[in-house]
Structures are given as C-alpha cells and as structure tokens.
Amino acid sequence: MTFTHRLYRLYHFGLRLAAALLPIRTPHVYAGQQALSQWLCEVKKQNLRTLLVVSDPGIVALDLQQPIIAALHQQGVNTVLYSDVEANPGIPC
C-alpha cells in the first residue's frame, strides 16, 4: 500500500468520523392553512434579520412571492429576492 493510498484512506476515515459526530439538521416542513404563520413564528423565534427569497422568473412575473415578502417585512425581516434560476431544470443525459 503506497503512502498516497494510506493518506487517502486516513482522509476518508476522518470524513466518516466527522459525519458521524456532527449533527445533521433536518428540514422543517410547514403545511396547511396555518403554515405561513407557523413559519413566521419560527423566523421570529430565531431572531432572523434578513432572509434570501429564491424564486424563478415565472413566479416573480405572477407576483406570487409578494405575500410572503410582505409578511416578513411586517415582522421586521429584510428580504433579498433572487430570481435568476431556471424553472424546473432538466437533467442533462
């Protein structure tokens, strides 16, 4: 076994160890009629000041993101809108 091979094995062992020890955050999914208010309570609890809102140009053209941005502004949260993403991107073969 060469020195480089052993170094790579040690590196991968370190990555596996770190993955086992570091906490993995699970996403929270808010659904239903009260989803927005529940999410806003979580935003307020975390004392967030600025949020990045990511959307696509079609959603922005229909102005569907505006109620969420308005609710965030009511809570005193600044928003930055990024809409330069491809809607439903395909997977190249």
Side-chain angles (χ1 to χ4, degrees):
M1 196 181 291
T2 66
F3 175 75
T4 306
H5 185 75
R6 288 176 193 236
L7 188 62
Y8 284 135
R9 299 273 298 200
L10 181 63
Y11 175 73
H12 286 127
F13 175 76
L15 287 177
R16 275 185 282 164
L17 184 63
L21 296 176
L22 294 174
I24 298 173
R25 299 175 71 179
T26 56
H28 297 281
V29 177
Y30 300 96
Q33 293 181 349
Q34 301 298 321
L36 182 58
S37 61
Q38 291 171 352
W39 179 66
L40 288 173
C41 286
E42 185 66 29
V43 168
K44 189 174 185 176
K45 190 186 325 178
Q46 291 183 16
N47 200 25
L48 299 175
R49 297 287 177 224
T50 304
L51 283 176
L52 174 65
V53 178
V54 179
S55 185
D56 64 62
I59 298 294
V60 172
L62 295 172
D63 218 20
L64 295 176
Q65 82 291 347
Q66 202 52 42
I68 295 171
I69 291 174
L72 287 166
H73 286 177
Q74 273 186 328
Q75 294 287 329
V77 178
N78 297 321
T79 59
V80 176
L81 178 63
Y82 178 76
S83 62
D84 192 22
V85 296
E86 183 182 343
N88 299 322
I91 299 173
C93 297

